[in-house]
Amino acid sequence: MTVSNSAKGVYVSGQGPAVVLLHSSLSSARQWQHLVNLLKSDFTVINFDILGYGQAEKVHDGDNYDFNVETGRINRVLQETVGDAPYHLVGHSCGGAIALKLAVEAPNKLLSLSLFEPVAFHLLPEGSRHRRQADDFKTQVFIEDTYLAAEIFTNFWNKPGFFKSLPKKMQDLMAADIAKVNLDFQGLIAESYNLADLSAITCRSLLMHGSESPQLSRHLSQIITGALAQVSERAFMAGHMAPVSHSEQIHPVIADFIRGG
């Protein structure tokens, strides 16, 4: 992969129609490497480190951060890389929520949309059980002890004891990045488009979820699926982090969908 001249943490490979890849919180562009290898012979794959992760720049103004900061950067890279050409879009978890925002704001630009459990928490009705659960989760992670915050966050999306099973170096990296996780929550809740707005997304869409994922993210995937105009649904015997933990299963499905299979 080669780094784009337009931004740190942007990796462009291959040639052909563009495919944009957006990873989850506490991850990096590396989570999509298997998918990059599957696609780069026929597509221009643009694999992003989301701000604050991998080699991307940090967020400079956290007080005023929202996902417009992320989508503005992505759109600038796209303009410099493929111009106004339409593209395929792939996102997981927080990256899936950012992808959904891109799709809502410029649906005519998309050739296809592939999402694994996008955590667009703002779509959960205020006061509902699931919204309260999302808000409580946000509060639990927004604490001074970065190691405990990273433990709470990663265990929620994986399983109890997951964080402490990781090598110390990995724990250190996750704790160091937890401030961006809190900004991700800030961005997720700040969005204002609603479920009805998703009907504007008319490209082929693939919504994936894991049967072992938290009920919160499975429920959210279900209501997003119900709001899209042209959508296929796919479940996997895996958890929320399946694009990382089960890449050999998930990535070929996404590649086949992008190819129209």
Side-chain angles (χ1 to χ4, degrees), residues 88-240:
H88 301 272
L89 183 55
V90 179
H92 169 216
S93 194
C94 181
I98 295 170
L100 202 58
K101 175 180 173 65
L102 286 165
V104 167
E105 294 181 348
N108 59 309
K109 289 286 190 72
L110 295 194
L111 296 170
S112 73
L113 177 65
S114 301
L115 303 175
F116 197 102
E117 295 187 15
V119 289
F121 290 138
H122 79 283
L123 294 175
L124 298 168
E126 292 271 5
S128 68
R129 176 172 63 89
H130 291 99
R131 180 60 179 267
R132 289 196 301 270
Q133 185 181 3
D135 291 341
D136 288 346
F137 181 37
K138 175 177 181 282
T139 300
Q140 290 170 32
V141 176
F142 191 64
I143 56 177
E144 290 186 9
D145 186 335
T146 57
Y147 282 84
L148 180 57
E151 181 177 6
I152 292 168
F153 183 80
T154 55
N155 284 0
F156 181 86
W157 293 123
N158 292 276
K159 60 183 179 180
F162 177 81
F163 181 77
K164 288 185 176 177
S165 74
L166 297 172
K168 180 62 163 57
K169 181 178 179 180
M170 185 65 70
Q171 293 182 22
D172 293 344
L173 290 171
M174 289 181 167
D177 285 344
I178 203 68
K180 179 58 191 343
V181 170
N182 287 311
L183 289 178
D184 292 342
F185 274 120
Q186 180 176 309
L188 290 167
I189 299 301
E191 285 301 317
S192 59
Y193 66 86
N194 57 40
L195 280 173
D197 294 327
L198 301 187
S199 63
I201 304 171
T202 56
C203 66
R204 295 185 306 118
S205 299
L206 173 65
L207 260 288
M208 297 164 282
H209 68 270
S211 60
E212 299 170 12
S213 297
Q215 205 274 332
L216 175 63
S217 56
R218 286 187 284 116
H219 171 74
L220 189 48
S221 291
Q222 184 178 38
I223 66 171
I224 291 171
T225 298
L228 291 170
Q230 187 182 176
V231 61
S232 301
E233 189 175 7
R234 184 73 181 264
F236 296 88
M237 290 291 293
H240 180 73

Side-chain angles (χ1 to χ4, degrees), residues 67-79:
F67 282 164
N68 291 316
V69 178
E70 302 280 1
T71 57
R73 169 178 176 255
I74 292 165
N75 284 325
R76 286 191 297 274
V77 170
L78 284 171
Q79 189 62 43

